[in-house]
Amino acid sequence: MPSRALVTVAWPHVALLVTFTVSHVHPSPCPRACLCDNIQLTASCVGKNLTEVPPTVSEITVKMDLRGNSIQELHTGAFQHTPYLTHLSLQRCDIRQVREGAFRSLGRLIFLNLANNNIEILYQESFDGLSSLKQLLLDHNRIEEIQPGAFSQLGFLNLLSLTHNQLVYLPNMVFQGLQNIKWLRMSYNSLNTLDSEAFAGLFTLTRLSLDHNELQFFPTEALTRLPELTRLELSYNPMTYLGEETVAMSKLTHLFLDHMSLQDFSEMALALAPNVVHLDLSHNQLRNLQPLSGPEKLLRLNLTGNPFYCSCYLRPLREWAYQGRVRLLGTCAGPPHLSGESLEGLHPPELRCQSQEAMLKAELEELSRAMPSPTPQPDEVKCPVNCNCEAESHHSSCENRGLTRIPRDFPPDTRLLDLRGNHFHYIPSNSFPKVPQVVSLHLQRCKIHELESGAFSGMRGLIYLYLSENNLSSLSSDAFKGLPQLTYLHLERNKFTKFPKDAFRLLPNLLALHLEHNSIARLDQGVLTGAQKLRGLYLTANSISTVAPKAFHLAPFLKVLHLGGNRLSEVPTHALSNTPSLSELRLSGNPIRWIGPKAFAPFARSLQHLFLDNMRLEKMSKDSLAGLGPGLLSLLLEGNQLEELPSLHPFTGLEVINLAENPFVCDCPLLPLRKWIEKVNLKVRATCGHPPELKGRKVKDVHVFKACPGEKPPPVQMSTGHRAPKVTRVTSAHLSNRAKVKQQRGQKAVGTPRTAK
Ligand SMILES: *[C@@H]1O[C@H](CO)[C@@H](O)[C@H](O)[C@H]1NC(C)=O
Ligand SMILES: *[C@@H]1O[C@H](CO)[C@@H](O)[C@H](O)[C@H]1NC(C)=O
Ligand SMILES: *[C@@H]1O[C@H](CO)[C@@H](O)[C@H](O)[C@H]1NC(C)=O
């Protein structure tokens, strides 16, 4: 057994070999029940029926794995022989008691896992001494009591996990001292009361999981003590209603109240939660909901699995969602003819009431809602030959009838007109007279190659226009004349080779423009003239290679931009310098090989989803993501040629990241990434591409980083961001190269790595 420890430090340009001898530790001890690696400094004693912490493990051990033993009690000073531990795993050890000061010597410990034991009480000094600890896992124990002060010395803790325990109540100040806590998990307990000061002192907490508990009331008071909270999970608690101003949390963005027993949800419940963007109310007992006051940035409202009754009383919600661009998820449970219809697909006029009186009221509302009805209600429903007109739903359809001319004489109160799959070839002016109430017009697959000016004149209520899968290659500037309400325009899968620039001038309410799968080659300045409210522009799968510097300047509210599958060779930063609300940018599949500094800076504050996958991307400047921060929720970089990455540390809000299929160079410059991976609770999917012997291994599993210097990567590395890969490979810290370097330098071999048994 080697009696000395070898520590190799690999710098990017210079290879240094540093050895030192730990003289007072003799024959590097390894208890018989354990496997020790004196290079990686790990000791693993898994599943060995040990009844105590093995006392003879090498003092310099940094990772100790004691899972699956029978330790029962951790007495005071149980780890005093291993003061350098950074990781300690103690799951399934039948631990019942953690005595005060059990971890007192472990000032370097970062990660402590005590899950799946039988701990019942956390004493005041149970975790004393753990001054560097970042993650503490206590899931699946029997904890029913936490003594105040139990966590008071854990000033660096980021994650505290207490799921699947038996907590019934939380006393005041119980979490005091957790000055850096980010996420507190208490799912699957039996909490039914939270004292108003239970969360006092948690000034940095951003995420709180309280799902699967017994809370009957929203703990408003206690939660107001969490000024930074952005995500709150309260799913599966037996609450029946939320009253006015119940949720008073100014930074909250994601609120989960699904699978509860809510029968009533006050329209003012979120009046003091102005930043909520995602509200999940799925699987409750709500039959109706009024428009919510307060969260003006709401994007998604999940109402799946509620028994919604889609009558005129639901209209305000539907209209509010439409006007506020809120996505409504869920379906109607009744009345029978609307059962199963998606809430979002409903047009307000379809939401009717049974009683004569309510019906009249609804009619009146509808009339006052913009459209003067030009014709009186006819006595009998008229309908063109070969078509179907349903009086009750106001749907008229002549789908796939081989028609060559647009039929006339649809019922004047038609809301949905479906003409897809015919052979119109071109649409003359004024093709839709006398149907001013149509909301949705379907003209897909009609072989249309031309729209005459004013083709849709008179369709004052049109909101959705589908012209997908036709032969359009250009549009005259007044093709869409007379459509003041048009909001969603589908022109995907046509034959455009140029952006149909002037056609949108007359569409002041256009929110979403679909032009996917055309052959547009460039985006010039002013392409969006007139569409000043545009939120979503979809240009996936065109041939765009050039984007003029001010291409999107006229659409300052642009939120979603899809440019995947084009021929861009760089990120169109300048074109987007005036789109401060951009939240989703997709550039997947473009031949962008390099991303320079501040590429996303103009919209860094709003960007939430960034797609940079499958681009053959080789290098990202270390400042390429500058400005982006906790607001970033998804980052997709899979399928590129990246060997290293800029720092991901600022992205504390990430929910999705994919780094798969990149040939990362697993060597010291990658250490910051490796550390980040260890810290976050996400599936990252990064694998090594170099050096050859580590190819295919997960970055989080390789041990090569052990040999890297210190906590921080060398400063040289940080400041250049450019590194010649070849040099790195020569100096990489894997063992065979180490040996080579040693030989080259004529140094005495100090010891060979070996696993002691
Ligand atoms: C641990 O103890 C159990 C029960 O005493 C026994 O069945 C098992 O073989 C022991 N395992 C080892 C690795 O000694
Ligand atoms: C909405 O809720 C359902 C059921 O809880 C869930 O499956 C779905 O993923 C949710 N959708 C969104 C967009 O959150
Ligand atoms: C429409 O486009 C298809 C495919 O390019 C072509 O085969 C067809 O002849 C075109 N039809 C008209 C009427 O232009």
Side-chain angles (χ1 to χ4, degrees):
M1 257 182 255
S3 62
R4 295 151 158 187
L6 167 71
V7 175
T8 306
V9 183
W11 299 78
H13 306 292
V14 200
L16 291 181
L17 194 72
V18 180
T19 65
F20 69 84
T21 309
V22 181
S23 53
H24 58 280
V25 180
H26 350 284
S28 176
C30 189
R32 195 176 302 157
C34 306
L35 290 172
C36 303
D37 181 331
N38 292 333
I39 298 295
Q40 312 294 347
L41 305 176
T42 62
S44 162
C45 327
V46 178
K48 293 296 194 279
N49 287 351
L50 296 176
T51 54
E52 58 172 2
V53 176
T56 56
V57 172
S58 165
E59 181 184 10
I60 56 172
T61 303
V62 297
K63 288 195 182 179
M64 183 144 73
D65 190 347
L66 293 170
R67 280 173 296 162
N69 286 293
S70 183
I71 294 177
Q72 312 228 350
E73 178 179 323
L74 291 175
H75 56 79
T76 307
F79 300 94
Q80 64 189 8
H81 302 297
T82 47
Y84 296 100
L85 281 185
T86 60
H87 289 68
L88 177 55
S89 302
L90 285 163
Q91 300 96 297
R92 290 182 282 103
C93 283
D94 194 22
I95 298 169
R96 289 147 200 245
Q97 292 234 8
V98 179
R99 290 284 178 202
E100 305 182 352
F103 304 105
R104 199 165 275 151
S105 49
L106 299 183
R108 297 169 188 233
L109 200 68
I110 291 169
F111 174 86
L112 174 56
N113 196 339
L114 281 162
N116 293 91
N117 282 293
N118 291 311
I119 304 169
E120 291 177 359
I121 302 178
L122 300 181
Y123 297 109
Q124 192 177 352
E125 293 170 26
S126 288
F127 302 109
D128 273 15
L130 295 172
S131 54
S132 304
L133 197 65
K134 292 197 168 159
Q135 299 198 357
L136 174 55
L137 310 183
L138 286 159
D139 313 271
H140 290 278
N141 275 280
R142 301 180 179 186
I143 301 168
E144 52 187 47
E145 182 180 346
I146 304 177
Q147 295 191 345
F151 307 117
S152 63
Q153 299 212 358
L154 304 181
F156 275 94
L157 202 68
N158 293 151
L159 169 68
L160 174 57
S161 195
L162 286 160
T163 69
H164 297 274
N165 277 290
Q166 296 173 6
L167 294 166
V168 175
Y169 95 111
L170 292 176
N172 283 334
M173 318 295 267
V174 63
F175 299 111
Q176 221 183 9
L178 298 175
Q179 295 163 17
N180 276 294
I181 189 82
K182 293 283 177 337
W183 185 8
L184 178 54
R185 300 174 57 185
M186 289 192 291
S187 319
Y188 294 95
N189 277 279
S190 308
L191 292 170
N192 63 43
T193 12
L194 304 176
D195 277 349
S196 62
E197 301 296 327
F199 298 129
L202 298 176
F203 299 116
T204 54
L205 195 71
T206 56
R207 179 169 181 185
L208 176 60
S209 309
L210 285 169
D211 52 285
H212 296 88
N213 275 289
E214 301 290 333
L215 296 167
Q216 293 179 35
F217 303 100
F218 192 94
T220 304
E221 270 282 287
L223 293 172
T224 55
R225 304 291 184 268
L226 300 172
E228 292 296 317
L229 203 70
T230 57
R231 190 178 171 105
L232 176 58
E233 288 140 18
L234 277 166
S235 320
Y236 295 91
N237 276 286
M239 294 181 206
T240 52
Y241 75 95
L242 253 69
E244 281 182 23
E245 301 186 354
T246 304
V247 187
M249 302 170 88
S250 62
K251 294 212 175 162
L252 196 67
T253 58
H254 288 67
L255 177 56
F256 296 85
L257 298 170
D258 53 290
H259 295 89
M260 310 218 298
S261 313
L262 293 174
Q263 293 167 12
D264 191 17
F265 194 91
S266 161
E267 59 189 286
M268 300 296 285
L270 301 185
L272 301 179
N275 283 306
V276 172
V277 294
H278 178 104
L279 173 59
D280 196 338
L281 290 172
S282 59
H283 297 282
N284 277 291
Q285 300 300 322
L286 298 169
R287 287 174 64 81
N288 195 3
L289 187 67
Q290 292 305 308
L292 298 174
S293 297
E296 289 186 351
K297 300 175 187 165
L298 199 64
L299 294 176
R300 275 187 306 274
L301 175 52
N302 196 342
L303 298 169
T304 311
N306 280 283
F308 265 92
Y309 193 78
C310 294
S311 70
C312 62
Y313 298 109
L314 202 65
R315 273 195 197 186
L317 182 75
R318 185 65 196 85
E319 301 235 357
W320 165 81
Y322 160 66
Q323 271 154 19
R325 325 297 172 204
V326 179
R327 274 209 71 192
L328 282 187
L329 299 145
T331 54
C332 305
H337 75 280
L338 289 180
S339 157
E341 292 282 321
S342 83
L343 296 177
E344 200 160 55
L346 293 173
H347 300 305
E350 294 166 354
L351 294 166
R352 300 178 156 269
C353 282
Q354 301 294 330
S355 82
Q356 199 64 25
E357 201 182 293
M359 212 139 100
L360 273 173
K361 187 167 158 254
E363 295 278 17
L364 280 172
E365 271 172 19
E366 194 183 301
L367 282 177
S368 63
R369 194 185 156 262
M371 293 161 268
S373 186
T375 41
Q377 294 286 107
D379 290 326
E380 45 186 272
V381 176
K382 19 178 214 171
C383 193
V385 271
N386 237 335
C387 301
N388 270 331
C389 304
E390 286 176 25
E392 199 179 341
S393 64
H394 306 283
H395 289 186
S396 298
S397 167
C398 332
E399 186 186 343
N400 293 325
R401 297 293 151 84
L403 302 175
T404 53
R405 297 184 56 192
I406 310 256
R408 305 256 160 148
D409 296 329
F410 290 102
D413 59 352
T414 299
R415 304 281 195 281
L416 185 145
L417 185 51
D418 191 348
L419 295 166
R420 73 188 97 178
N422 285 293
H423 307 306
F424 299 132
H425 298 284
Y426 85 109
I427 310 288
S429 354
N430 281 314
S431 285
F432 303 90
K434 300 188 194 156
V435 278
Q437 299 187 30
V438 171
V439 170
S440 188
L441 174 59
H442 292 261
L443 286 165
Q444 299 97 317
R445 287 180 283 105
C446 287
K447 305 189 178 174
I448 300 166
H449 60 83
E450 193 187 338
L451 303 177
E452 261 186 26
S453 54
F456 308 98
S457 283
M459 303 190 87
R460 288 185 296 271
L462 196 67
I463 290 171
Y464 303 89
L465 174 56
Y466 298 89
L467 284 161
S468 333
E469 298 178 70
N470 280 295
N471 278 23
L472 292 165
S473 58
S474 64
L475 292 172
S476 74
S477 60
D478 42 12
F480 299 121
K481 197 166 76 181
L483 300 177
Q485 307 248 40
L486 193 69
T487 309
Y488 303 95
L489 176 55
H490 287 262
L491 289 165
E492 66 270 24
R493 296 184 192 272
N494 275 282
K495 299 276 149 51
F496 292 103
T497 53
K498 286 189 191 151
F499 195 95
K501 181 175 161 184
D502 292 320
F504 312 111
R505 280 186 320 159
L506 300 172
L507 301 177
N509 279 308
L510 193 64
L511 282 192
L513 175 56
H514 288 267
L515 278 162
E516 300 94 323
H517 295 276
N518 279 288
S519 311
I520 297 169
R522 48 187 299 129
L523 298 176
D524 295 321
Q525 194 171 338
V527 281
L528 297 173
T529 306
Q532 76 266 27
K533 283 199 193 162
L534 199 68
R535 304 275 174 111
L537 177 57
Y538 304 87
L539 285 162
T540 307
N542 276 275
S543 318
I544 300 167
S545 57
T546 333
V547 183
K550 293 186 177 173
F552 305 114
H553 269 212
L554 298 168
F557 300 110
L558 201 62
K559 287 191 84 136
V560 177
L561 177 59
H562 288 189
L563 282 169
N566 278 288
R567 297 187 188 155
L568 296 171
S569 56
E570 55 185 37
V571 177
T573 311
H574 296 303
L576 291 164
S577 59
N578 195 30
T579 55
S581 311
L582 197 68
S583 82
E584 179 175 323
L585 177 60
R586 296 194 185 218
L587 291 167
S588 318
N590 281 286
I592 299 176
R593 297 175 62 180
W594 184 74
I595 298 184
K598 301 187 182 168
F600 310 97
F603 41 93
R605 286 165 148 258
S606 57
L607 199 66
Q608 296 185 326
H609 307 284
L610 182 56
F611 290 71
L612 299 171
D613 53 294
N614 299 298
M615 302 205 309
R616 280 176 271 155
L617 185 58
E618 288 168 13
K619 193 161 263 176
M620 296 175 75
S621 146
K622 78 176 167 63
D623 292 327
S624 54
L625 303 175
L628 295 167
L632 193 67
L633 303 180
S634 334
L635 177 59
L636 300 178
L637 279 164
E638 69 269 25
N640 282 304
Q641 294 298 323
L642 293 167
E643 297 189 340
E644 58 186 29
L645 274 186
S647 169
L648 302 178
H649 284 86
F651 310 136
T652 49
L654 274 184
E655 291 170 1
V656 177
I657 180 160
N658 194 343
L659 301 177
E661 297 164 64
N662 278 290
F664 290 112
V665 177
C666 283
D667 191 359
C668 294
L670 209 66
L671 180 62
L673 174 67
R674 160 63 177 260
K675 288 191 165 175
W676 181 83
I677 293 175
E678 281 172 5
K679 215 179 67 178
V680 296
N681 222 313
L682 290 169
K683 195 164 178 187
V684 175
R685 304 185 185 89
T687 51
C688 306
H690 307 287
E693 60 272 43
L694 294 181
K695 193 167 175 165
R697 303 267 305 274
K698 291 181 182 157
V699 172
K700 83 172 159 53
D701 291 344
V702 298
H703 294 300
V704 67
F705 301 101
K706 271 286 158 308
C708 299
E711 289 289 305
K712 295 191 184 94
V716 185
Q717 204 48 46
M718 292 297 277
S719 60
T720 63
H722 298 281
R723 183 173 51 78
K726 282 193 179 112
V727 175
T728 309
R729 279 183 209 127
V730 171
T731 62
S732 69
H734 61 275
L735 294 175
S736 58
N737 275 356
R738 236 189 239 174
K740 267 185 235 151
V741 172
K742 262 185 262 166
Q743 280 159 16
Q744 282 160 9
R745 298 186 162 241
Q747 288 204 355
K748 208 170 107 188
V750 179
T752 38
R754 196 183 327 154
T755 300
K757 305 229 164 164

